[in-house]
Amino acid sequence: MKEILREIGMIARALDSISNIEFKEFDLTKGQYLYLVRICENPGIIQEQLIDLIKVDRSTATRAIQKMEANGFIEKKDDPRNKKIKKLFPTDKGNAVYPFIKRENDHSNKVALDGFSELEEEMAFELLQRIRKNIETDWDFVKKGNKRDY
């Protein structure tokens, strides 16, 4: 069997390292840019939805959200219908950084797909989506406290 997940892991870690270095000037650290992008793209998102989008555990998300709120990138607002629900919104500072993060992402996509035909790009995208969907089943299962059989 090909070690596809090792390749995906190396790509993810390399891109994460690049982003952490490049976004340091904005005081975004340890993957916080991932959260900020999703919050900018989905203003009013709640933490549980964010966790599902990024695929992290609750405590990791809570720490990142607290740091980003303390650093002025996001703010929490009460849901008007349910005060227990806190919605996440980007601040002006968060919205100002978002275009830079988006440009970096677009550039990284361009670099990653250099030399690919349109058909190859589409095929790679579809195959990666299938892999993600397969993994999401296990992620949901384990997240609920279950153990996988292997």
Side-chain angles (χ1 to χ4, degrees):
M1 180 187 314
K2 298 280 185 205
E3 292 289 345
I4 291 170
L5 295 181
R6 282 188 186 185
E7 291 296 319
I8 292 171
M10 285 189 288
I11 293 164
R13 285 187 299 278
L15 290 171
D16 192 49
S17 292
I18 290 168
S19 297
N20 283 331
I21 291 166
E22 291 186 336
F23 302 150
K24 198 175 202 170
E25 69 184 89
F26 300 111
D27 291 325
L28 283 171
T29 59
K30 300 250 180 197
Q32 290 175 0
Y33 61 92
L34 295 170
Y35 296 84
L36 183 58
V37 165
R38 296 305 187 278
I39 293 167
C40 286
E41 292 172 348
N42 302 281
I45 191 170
I46 62 171
Q47 184 171 328
E48 285 306 312
Q49 294 168 322
L50 190 59
I51 286 168
D52 282 341
L53 278 177
I54 299 178
K55 305 291 183 246
V56 294
D57 61 82
R58 186 183 320 278
S59 61
T60 300
T62 298
R63 280 191 305 275
I65 289 167
Q66 287 171 343
K67 285 180 185 175
M68 291 174 54
E69 189 177 21
N71 289 333
F73 289 104
I74 64 166
E75 60 185 340
K76 292 180 186 173
K77 294 182 182 175
D78 290 336
D79 184 296
R81 285 170 262 135
N82 184 344
K83 298 289 184 207
K84 290 181 183 177
I85 296 175
K86 303 289 184 203
K87 295 188 171 201
L88 306 172
F89 293 89
T91 61
D92 289 343
K93 181 179 180 181
N95 279 321
V97 174
Y98 174 74
F100 181 80
I101 297 171
K102 184 77 175 102
R103 277 195 314 277
E104 186 279 336
N105 182 70
D106 292 345
H107 176 77
S108 291
N109 266 315
K110 186 177 175 189
V111 168
L113 297 171
D114 187 40
F116 281 53
S117 69
E118 262 187 64
L119 179 63
E120 289 171 324
E121 282 183 32
E122 188 60 37
M123 210 162 80
F125 183 73
E126 288 174 11
L127 292 171
L128 286 169
Q129 280 187 317
R130 281 178 54 195
I131 291 169
R132 178 185 46 80
K133 287 175 185 172
N134 290 341
I135 296 298
E136 279 178 344
T137 303
D138 273 6
W139 184 75
D140 286 333
F141 183 74
V142 172
K143 189 175 99 165
K144 292 175 183 162
N146 299 302
K147 292 226 178 244
R148 299 182 301 163
D149 257 342
Y150 44 84

